[in-house]
Amino acid sequence: MSLRPLRLGLGVDTLSGWVTGTVGTNAEGQLVTLRARLRVVAGPDQGQEAILEVGTATIGTGRDAALRLTDRSVSRRHVELALLAGGARVRDLGSRNGTFSRGARIDVATLPLPFELRVGSTRVEVIAADVPVATPVSERTSFGALVGRSVEMRRAFALLERLAATDTPILFGGPEGVGTTALAAATHHASGRTVDRLYYLDRTRDLSRAGIDAALAAAAGGTLILEQLDAWPRTATDALVAALDAGRGDVRLLSTAREDLRHAVEEGRFPRPLYFFLGSARVWLPPLSERPEDVTALLQAFAQSLGRSDVELPVELVQRIGQGLPGNARQLRGLVEAALSEGPAPAPSPARSPAPAADASFHDAKQQVVDAFERGYLEDLMARHDGVVLHAAEEAGLGRNHLARLLRKHGLK
């Protein structure tokens, strides 16, 4: 498999072998069954059509061709097409007269739809024929650790209910702290893949070709989450392309990004075919400021996870939220934690929450209470998850690195 610039004068990239299936999302984020219509627009067989949906389809004069032509200048098996999320892979099958698009001869190339091919004296138009799949708003108000009552979140939950059990790569997007990594992890757990075969790769890891190969091997039979792709250097995304070219085996790829990677693609900062492959389906999570109806549900969920399901949140906190919503759920959780540490607390265990020193300043006394709360919460959290930081972070709604820092702070790791 090869990924290299194809000199068509229009910056079209080559790609071979990455067939991602027939389920994806369109530009509006709607779930669709990916299809393409092949239609002869010039030549002896003008008007003839065929549909490309699953696997590959050939154009030629042979009996097994999906689009069978009578043009004598066309080979028996002239060209093969395979459907991808961002277009179609076109591969000439050693035809005697070649395959052309926009005046350039093609060996192997991925072309965005629509496009036109010339084979012999025949011109074939390839256009999108996607079929929308009904994706109603889900009845559920949570998916894994993610909670949401808004239409936007329940629409994302409904989409993932359909996609989780497939092998379709999914790109999760949204501002930092909105929950993309937690939602990707929840998708893995709902997929039926080996539960403990969930691995993460981000810019803090070894992103050399060898490091990526090792991550793919470790995740065999499971899922590899590629975190914050927009922060990866171009050398790392090129190494990922090379590794995937060599074969990814039985690994589900889920990715997250804070930036809309379409901009990075257009600016040449991210490989175009890699974007279309990893983003076969795309799920965007809007910031909390755009879905205020989720605030109450999140407040309740965060308070419950902190052991305070019966707490009445302070008026000051509600006022702060009313004046301007935090940008994401992680910020909201921080407000809840602060409010609970300052408000009435359940009877503390003497071993965990000693009374502040009598001569301590207000700041120091408050910090002692907060530290005691944090340590007790973390001990209970890690005990519930047998010390597995990944699973504990998912329940707590924290980033793995954040949780790891807290554990180190309290000598629990």
Side-chain angles (χ1 to χ4, degrees):
M1 202 174 345
S2 173
L3 272 162
R4 62 186 184 282
L6 180 66
R7 302 186 183 280
L8 295 180
L10 295 171
V12 179
D13 294 320
T14 65
L15 176 66
S16 94
W18 286 6
V19 180
T20 64
T22 59
V23 179
T25 55
N26 60 16
E28 289 73 41
Q30 298 170 317
L31 188 66
V32 295
T33 298
L34 303 176
R35 299 173 58 180
R37 185 182 303 277
L38 316 181
R39 182 160 60 96
V40 179
V41 294
D45 305 286
Q46 185 172 354
Q48 188 168 329
E49 294 186 353
I51 291 291
L52 171 61
E53 182 172 8
V54 178
T56 60
T58 57
I59 299 174
T61 58
R63 292 180 179 276
D64 61 345
L67 184 62
R68 189 179 180 188
L69 306 175
T70 60
D71 185 348
R72 292 179 178 273
S73 59
V74 173
S75 299
R76 187 177 64 83
R77 298 184 74 252
H78 197 107
V79 62
E80 176 189 80
L81 285 79
L83 196 62
L84 302 173
R89 184 197 69 206
V90 179
R91 181 164 67 95
D92 186 85
L93 298 176
S95 65
R96 62 180 181 275
N97 291 321
T99 300
F100 297 82
S101 181
R102 296 182 181 180
R105 185 163 183 160
I106 293 175
D107 178 17
V108 179
T110 295
L111 305 179
L113 274 58
F115 60 87
E116 189 175 278
L117 296 176
R118 179 169 63 81
V119 292
S121 60
T122 295
R123 288 190 293 114
V124 178
E125 181 182 60
V126 183
I127 61 175
D130 296 341
V131 178
V133 177
T135 309
V137 175
S138 177
E139 294 296 323
R140 66 198 299 172
T141 57
S142 65
F143 192 89
L146 269 288
V147 174
R149 294 174 180 169
S150 64
V151 171
E152 293 87 349
M153 292 299 288
R154 290 190 292 123
R155 183 173 289 125
F157 296 162
L159 182 62
L160 292 173
E161 288 167 5
R162 302 288 296 270
L163 291 174
T166 74
D167 289 332
T168 303
I170 304 173
L171 175 61
F172 297 88
E176 184 177 6
V178 79
T180 52
T181 298
L183 196 56
T187 302
H188 164 76
H189 291 302
S191 70
R193 284 184 166 265
T194 307
V195 173
D196 60 356
R197 289 283 178 177
L198 176 60
Y199 293 85
Y200 294 79
L201 196 59
D202 61 25
R203 61 179 178 173
T204 67
R205 306 295 180 89
D206 179 5
L207 295 180
S208 66
R209 169 65 189 279
I212 293 172
D213 283 340
L216 288 169
T223 300
L224 180 62
I225 296 179
L226 309 171
E227 292 192 83
Q228 296 184 6
L229 281 174
D230 51 321
W232 286 31
R234 184 58 190 257
T235 53
T237 55
D238 287 343
L240 177 59
V241 167
L244 294 176
D245 268 348
R248 61 188 171 105
D250 180 23
V251 178
R252 174 84 174 275
L253 293 176
L254 303 176
S255 311
T256 72
R258 290 169 294 183
E259 175 190 357
D260 186 341
L261 287 179
R262 287 177 295 185
H263 301 315
V265 169
E266 295 307 320
E267 294 170 4
R269 295 183 286 110
F270 197 86
R272 181 180 298 271
L274 181 62
Y275 167 72
F276 284 122
F277 175 67
L278 295 178
S280 295
R282 294 178 286 277
V283 176
W284 177 262
L285 297 182
L288 190 57
S289 57
E290 296 179 8
R291 43 188 177 93
E293 57 268 55
D294 286 341
V295 173
T296 301
L298 285 167
L299 290 174
Q300 293 173 347
F302 291 152
Q304 185 172 8
S305 71
L306 295 169
R308 298 292 299 278
S309 57
D310 60 340
V311 73
E312 183 174 342
L313 294 170
V315 174
E316 293 79 6
L317 175 58
V318 177
Q319 289 176 343
R320 287 182 65 183
I321 296 172
Q323 292 168 359
L325 284 170
N328 56 51
R330 187 179 298 168
Q331 289 174 295
L332 181 61
R333 184 184 180 90
L335 290 178
V336 174
E337 290 175 339
L340 294 182
S341 68
E342 294 173 2
S349 164
R352 289 186 177 178
S353 301
D359 58 349
S361 67
F362 171 81
H363 175 78
D364 290 341
K366 175 183 173 183
Q367 189 59 51
Q368 290 175 30
V369 173
V370 172
D371 287 345
F373 162 76
E374 283 184 355
R375 182 178 179 85
Y377 174 77
L378 293 173
E379 287 178 345
D380 290 341
L381 178 69
M382 297 307 291
R384 287 197 299 276
H385 294 283
D386 298 322
V388 179
V389 174
L390 169 62
H391 297 165
E394 290 172 10
E395 179 189 320
L398 299 173
R400 287 179 297 116
N401 291 338
H402 184 191
L403 178 57
R405 286 195 298 271
L406 287 174
L407 293 172
R408 287 194 294 271
K409 170 185 172 182
H410 294 284
L412 300 176
K413 183 181 181 182

